[in-house]
């Protein structure tokens, strides 16, 4: 009898602990979001979106940083997306079971979780040293390299969800593989691939480390892709560590902006994925 | 192909950049604590120590909590709650690391400094063995804070992988456990965990890979001091934080090259960890397939 009570007690204790663990996890998310809202909202104003980053103590906004972030993310995705989609297509359609593709898949998985600062170093060595100066284009390339593995992964998963019967039907009508892929597989997997790109955007737009020594930062308005460009994450980094009150306030507002943007993107991506047949393949 | 070339390119270019430092300092680079840009003398001991230490703390905190969350999600949670909680945990993974950084610096560090660390110093500090880890003034920022922030960051990864692994356990196995009169906890500990051990370790290693390479969050709270100190409360540095803090200010070829050499080290460490993790998860996939 005693032993039975002991077992029941142990059971209850363990289950309580596991529920507590979940609460701790949720509390962390809640605490972070709450802090961001509490400190960031007070700095939200029109000026945030219409003015440049200010010198210490003066009024200003984050316009150039927002612009730089958007530009570099877009350029990065434009470089990274075609590579990622093509590689994913290769893995899913042409080299499905070959030895080479399992190696590529493995390497891709490693790159997927490789530290982003390493990517920054790599681009620094290859581009910044050769060109002799920091530039927005180097930042975009670094972001592209980070975006590639994400797109490869989702593209492959999504193409694999396309029923084999559809592809067989197309082949039976005499279509070449590329025809099957462009006319049958891509349209069928389109929303999934788009979701993958959204996830890649979400991943890339919050990256700071690789931009530190590729795009650097810029206090002023710059449209020149060949020159250093301001961007939100690095501005947040520098302003948050600065001793000036107005810079810190801007850092919080920027942090709120970027988090909201990324969370919205991921929620949308998740909704699209869960609406797909086959459930959660793209995570 | 490009993906493969990318990895090769990363390795080659990093090695080339690091070569001057590595050939100049030889193995001393790994074992010396000194980091002096003025005299061009560099040793990587402090960053390596910091990286391993913060990751260790992160794993000690995150693994049990992640395990708890995974159990809760797969075994306990009422069905209607499962999705929202799962999504919330995954959203935690989507928050960019810089946000964790400033949150750690402005919210977590003051709390630690004011409440947690004085208590640790007073009550744990005098103990013989562990006490050495908790001595010195409460800075707020330091190895301990960095480890805690990392723990929160890797938590969702560990929880998500573990949950997926637990879901692969066949219901028949669990039901036979219950049929023998086992409690929920006994089924989890004696049926679910042994069955999914490989996958769990894989998930933990994946989290570890993340923790080792994480840059921005750590940079904010680590304090960036190049020394190895026994106390967890003292500021330290990690490989990635050193690179992020000093790279743009590095003057002189040897300085830059030493920082790139640090990058190579980090790359090797994380590559080994991640490759091991992926390999384990891969084996699991195959086993799950053959079981169907």
């Amino acid at each position: 009898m005693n032993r039975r009570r002991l077992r029941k007690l142990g059971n209850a204790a363990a289950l309580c602990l596991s529920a507590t663990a979940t609460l701790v996890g949720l509390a962390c998310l809640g605490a972070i979001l709450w802090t961001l809202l509490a400190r960031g909202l007070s700095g939200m104003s029109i000026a945030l979106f219409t003015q440049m980053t200010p010198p210490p103590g003066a009024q200003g906004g984050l316009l150039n940083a927002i612009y730089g972030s958007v530009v570099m993310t877009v350029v990065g995705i434009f470089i990274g997306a075609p590579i990622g989609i093509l590689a994913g297509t290769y893995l899913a359609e042409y080299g499905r079971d070959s030895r080479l593709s399992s190696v590529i898949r493995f390497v891709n998985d490693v790159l997927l979780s490789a530290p982003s600062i390493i990517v920054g170093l790599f681009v620094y060595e290859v581009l910044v040293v050769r060109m002799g100066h920091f530039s927005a284009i180097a930042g975009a390339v670094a972001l592209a390299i980070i975006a590639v593995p994400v797109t490869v992964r989702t593209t492959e998963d999504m193409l694999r969800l396309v029923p084999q019967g559809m592809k067989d039907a197309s082949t039976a009508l005499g279509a070449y593989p590329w025809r099957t892929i462009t006319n049958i597989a891509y349209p069928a997997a389109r929303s999934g691939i788009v979701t993958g790109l959204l996830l890649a955007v979400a991943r890339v737009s919050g990256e700071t480390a690789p931009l530190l020594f590729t795009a650097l930062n810029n206090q002023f308005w710059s449209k020149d892709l060949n020159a250093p460009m301001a961007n939100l994450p690095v501005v947040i980094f520098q302003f948050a560590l600065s001793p000036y009150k107005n810079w810190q306030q801007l850092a919080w507002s920027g942090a709120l902006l970027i988090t909201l943007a990324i969370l919205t993107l991921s929620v949308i991506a998740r909704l699209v994925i869960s609406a797909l047949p086959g459930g959660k393949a793209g995570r | 192909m490009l993906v493969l070339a990318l990895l090769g390119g990363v390795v080659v270019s990093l090695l080339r950049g690091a070569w001057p430092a590595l050939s100049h300092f030889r193995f001393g680079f790994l074992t010396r604590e000194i980091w002096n840009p003025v005299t061009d003398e560099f040793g990587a001991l402090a960053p390596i120590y910091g990286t391993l230490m913060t990751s260790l703390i992160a794993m000690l905190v995150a693994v049990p909590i992640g395990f708890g969350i995974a159990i809760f999600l797969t075994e306990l949670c009422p069905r209607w709650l499962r999705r929202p909680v799962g999504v919330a945990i995954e959203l935690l993974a989507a928050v960019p690391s810089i946000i964790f950084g400033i949150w750690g610096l402005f919210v977590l560090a003051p709390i630690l400094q004011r409440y947690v660390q004085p208590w640790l110093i007073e009550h744990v500090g005098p103990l013989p063995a562990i006490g050495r880890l908790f001595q010195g003034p409460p800075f707020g920022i330091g190895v301990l804070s960095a480890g805690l922030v990392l723990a929160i960051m890797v938590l969702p990864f560990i929880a998500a992988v573990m949950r997926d692994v637990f879901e692969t356990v066949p219901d028949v196995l669990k039901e036979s456990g219950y049929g023998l009169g086992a409690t929920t906890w006994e089924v989890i500990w004696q049926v679910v965990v042994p069955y999914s051990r490989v996958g769990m370790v894989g998930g933990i290693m994946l989290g570890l890979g993340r923790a080792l390479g994480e840059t921005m969050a750590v940079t904010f709270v680590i304090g960036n001091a190049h020394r190895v100190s026994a106390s967890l409360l003292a500021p330290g540095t990690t490989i990635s934080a050193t690179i992020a803090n000093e790279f743009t200010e590095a003057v002189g070829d040897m300085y830059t090259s030493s920082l790139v050499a640090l990058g190579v080290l980090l790359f090797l460490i994380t590559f080994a960890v991640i490759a091991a993790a992926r390999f384990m998860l891969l084996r699991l996939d195959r086993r799950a397939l053959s079981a169907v």
Side-chain angles (χ1 to χ4, degrees):
Chain A
M1 205 55 196
N2 200 4
R3 185 172 156 71
R4 200 187 132 178
R5 275 192 53 193
L6 208 70
R7 282 175 58 199
K8 283 212 153 168
L9 219 65
N11 187 41
L15 298 186
C16 280
L17 277 181
S18 110
T20 320
T22 312
L23 281 182
V24 170
L26 292 178
C28 288
L29 181 67
I32 289 175
L33 289 183
W34 192 81
T35 320
L36 278 179
L37 283 174
R39 303 220 184 175
L41 268 186
S42 59
M44 283 290 168
S45 62
I46 310 277
L48 199 63
F49 301 97
T50 54
Q51 291 178 18
M52 308 292 139
T53 45
Q59 287 294 317
L62 290 169
L63 178 63
N64 50 346
I66 296 172
Y67 172 80
S69 266
V70 172
V71 165
M72 269 187 282
T73 308
V74 169
V75 175
I77 291 293
F78 261 97
I79 303 174
I83 301 177
I85 290 181
L86 288 177
T89 312
Y90 174 82
L91 286 180
E93 301 292 338
Y94 292 106
R96 193 162 248 199
D97 301 310
S98 74
R99 240 201 142 68
L100 178 68
S101 39
S102 62
V103 173
I104 294 182
R105 213 166 281 139
F106 182 72
V107 168
N108 188 56
D109 279 352
V110 171
L111 277 180
L112 190 63
S113 31
S116 54
I117 193 160
I118 300 289
V119 174
L121 274 184
F122 165 64
V123 173
Y124 175 86
E125 285 292 328
V126 171
L127 278 181
V128 178
V129 172
R130 298 271 157 79
M131 290 163 71
H133 55 84
F134 299 101
S135 68
I137 198 78
V141 170
L143 293 184
I145 294 178
I146 293 170
V148 165
V150 186
T151 7
V152 171
R153 186 65 180 278
T154 40
T155 308
E156 190 199 347
D157 286 348
M158 288 307 153
L159 284 177
R160 273 166 182 264
L161 286 180
V162 177
Q164 187 63 38
M166 275 167 72
K167 291 182 222 160
D168 287 346
S170 159
T171 316
L173 289 174
Y176 287 111
W178 67 264
R179 195 95 215 220
T180 309
I181 291 169
T182 48
N183 284 13
I184 305 294
Y186 278 160
R190 188 171 48 210
S191 59
I193 294 177
V194 171
T195 313
L197 289 182
L198 281 184
L199 283 179
V201 172
R203 170 88 202 271
V204 153
S205 49
E207 286 293 347
T208 321
L211 292 180
L212 272 178
F213 26 81
T214 50
L216 206 64
N217 196 1
N218 194 337
Q219 284 274 3
F220 308 102
W221 177 258
S222 162
K223 277 186 178 170
D224 187 2
L225 279 183
N226 217 356
M229 193 185 253
N231 55 89
L232 266 181
V234 175
V235 167
I236 295 174
F237 177 58
Q238 290 180 345
F239 280 17
L241 286 178
S242 75
Y244 310 111
K245 269 274 165 306
N246 70 320
W247 277 19
Q248 290 186 3
Q249 179 58 52
L250 277 178
W252 281 109
S253 307
L256 178 63
L257 269 184
I258 211 167
T259 312
L260 284 184
I262 289 175
L263 290 187
T264 318
L265 271 179
S266 358
V267 168
I268 293 176
R270 253 163 250 285
L271 286 180
V272 175
I273 285 186
S274 64
L276 284 178
K280 50 174 200 176
R283 190 152 32 84
Chain B
M1 289 315 284
L2 251 159
V3 176
L4 212 57
L6 206 62
L7 187 75
V10 170
V11 175
V12 170
S13 74
L14 284 186
L15 276 181
R16 256 195 24 201
W19 189 245
L22 287 180
S23 60
H24 185 262
F25 297 117
R26 309 272 162 125
F27 285 107
F29 189 70
L30 293 180
T31 51
R32 292 197 311 175
E33 196 188 327
I34 190 165
W35 187 269
N36 190 340
V38 181
T39 56
D40 258 358
E41 287 196 75
F42 301 99
L45 188 60
I48 294 178
Y49 171 81
T51 304
L52 296 181
M53 211 58 203
T54 47
S55 301
L56 182 70
I57 298 173
M59 293 333 268
L60 282 181
V61 177
V63 168
I65 299 184
F67 180 74
I69 294 178
I71 295 284
F72 182 78
L73 283 176
T74 50
E75 310 290 337
L76 286 181
C77 193
R79 198 156 279 280
W80 57 270
L81 202 63
R82 196 171 286 185
R83 241 188 100 67
V85 174
V87 169
I89 297 291
E90 280 166 24
L91 282 186
L92 190 59
V95 173
S97 59
I98 188 158
I99 306 297
F100 284 99
I102 71 175
W103 182 75
L105 180 64
F106 287 103
V107 179
L108 187 64
I111 294 178
L112 284 177
Q113 182 179 21
R114 231 166 283 154
Y115 306 106
V116 181
Q117 291 186 347
W119 186 87
L120 282 174
I121 292 167
E122 197 176 325
H123 292 89
V124 192
L127 297 178
I130 346 170
R132 294 204 36 210
L133 293 175
F134 301 101
Q135 275 170 356
F139 283 112
I141 54 174
V143 177
L144 182 67
S145 321
L148 289 181
V149 171
L150 276 182
I152 301 175
M153 287 200 62
V154 297
L155 185 60
F157 292 97
I158 296 180
V161 175
M162 280 194 182
R163 180 193 63 187
D164 291 352
V165 173
F166 288 163
E167 274 172 358
T168 65
V169 178
D171 284 339
V172 185
L173 282 185
K174 285 190 268 181
E175 280 158 12
S176 46
Y178 288 122
L180 289 173
T183 59
T184 314
W185 173 247
E186 283 162 348
V187 168
I188 292 167
W189 196 244
Q190 289 168 14
V191 177
V192 176
V193 170
Y195 185 87
S196 44
R197 190 179 297 136
V198 183
M200 279 172 57
V201 176
I204 293 173
M205 304 271 272
L206 217 57
L208 182 61
R210 267 264 127 102
L212 287 171
E214 182 42 50
T215 314
M216 299 321 295
V218 175
T219 310
F220 272 97
V221 290
I222 189 86
N224 204 37
H226 277 279
R227 57 167 183 263
V228 177
S229 107
S231 174
L232 291 183
L233 308 183
T237 191
T238 69
I239 296 180
S240 47
T242 306
I243 301 177
N245 264 326
E246 302 182 16
F247 201 82
T248 40
E249 293 159 7
V251 282
D253 292 342
M254 200 52 88
Y255 197 174
T256 316
S257 173
S258 299
L259 286 171
V260 179
L262 277 182
V264 173
L265 278 178
L266 177 66
F267 189 68
L268 290 181
I269 299 174
T270 45
F271 185 86
V273 170
I274 295 170
R278 288 292 172 184
F279 190 67
M280 283 174 171
L281 288 176
L282 218 64
R283 259 181 40 198
L284 182 89
D285 272 353
R286 246 179 247 144
R287 205 178 57 178
L289 283 181
S290 64
V292 169

